[in-house]
Amino acid sequence: QLPLVESGGGLVQPGGSLRLSCEASGFTLDHYAIGWFRQAPGKEREGVSCISTPDDVTRYADSVKGRFTISRDSAKNMVLLQINNLKPEDTAVFYCAAGFYCSLQERSFTSWGPGTEISVSS
């Protein structure tokens, strides 16, 4: 497995924004497809976005289209997830994962970070 760590979670009000970061140490994220997943309390983990390599094609779950944007910051060896117009149902632990194919399925990824929590409440 490859070491990944997420950051940027926190407590926000509905309609707010956050930017999550996925950072790698010891390898180049540009060489891997990166996925973002979330797991809400009492629910199964779901894929929300991914970005392919080398062409950076992106995918989004229908529930987040128009609100979430995945991108690479290659200079910082990071993948970012910009989240706008947060909703209470976005409350979850968010995970990034590295693999070889951009999909919203967990089995496409082999290395996972420990997660960062987003809590959305008024």
Side-chain angles (χ1 to χ4, degrees):
Q1 61 180 334
L2 303 173
L4 297 169
V5 63
E6 306 91 342
S7 63
L11 303 174
V12 295
Q13 294 183 342
S17 298
L18 286 172
R19 186 183 67 187
L20 304 184
S21 299
C22 178
E23 184 176 6
S25 179
F27 67 100
T28 301
L29 278 183
D30 281 353
H31 297 166
Y32 296 86
I34 302 297
W36 282 98
F37 296 78
R38 67 185 181 187
Q39 187 166 24
K43 297 184 178 180
E44 296 181 354
R45 185 178 290 114
E46 64 171 339
V48 297
S49 186
C50 66
I51 185 166
S52 72
T53 188
D55 295 330
D56 291 344
V57 175
T58 59
R59 295 177 182 266
Y60 298 93
D62 288 343
S63 60
V64 308
K65 286 181 179 178
R67 298 191 299 119
F68 289 23
T69 304
I70 191 170
S71 62
R72 295 186 187 273
D73 186 342
S74 297
K76 296 181 179 179
N77 199 28
M78 289 182 176
V79 170
L80 308 177
L81 186 69
Q82 178 68 40
I83 306 175
N84 296 327
N85 191 24
L86 278 156
K87 301 177 179 181
E89 53 263 42
D90 294 321
T91 295
V93 177
F94 282 71
Y95 302 88
C96 70
F100 296 102
Y101 301 96
C102 175
S103 82
L104 302 183
Q105 299 185 54
E106 292 186 20
R107 64 182 181 180
S108 296
F109 301 92
T110 58
S111 298
W112 294 78
T116 185
E117 185 175 3
I118 292 176
S119 295
V120 184
S121 63
S122 58

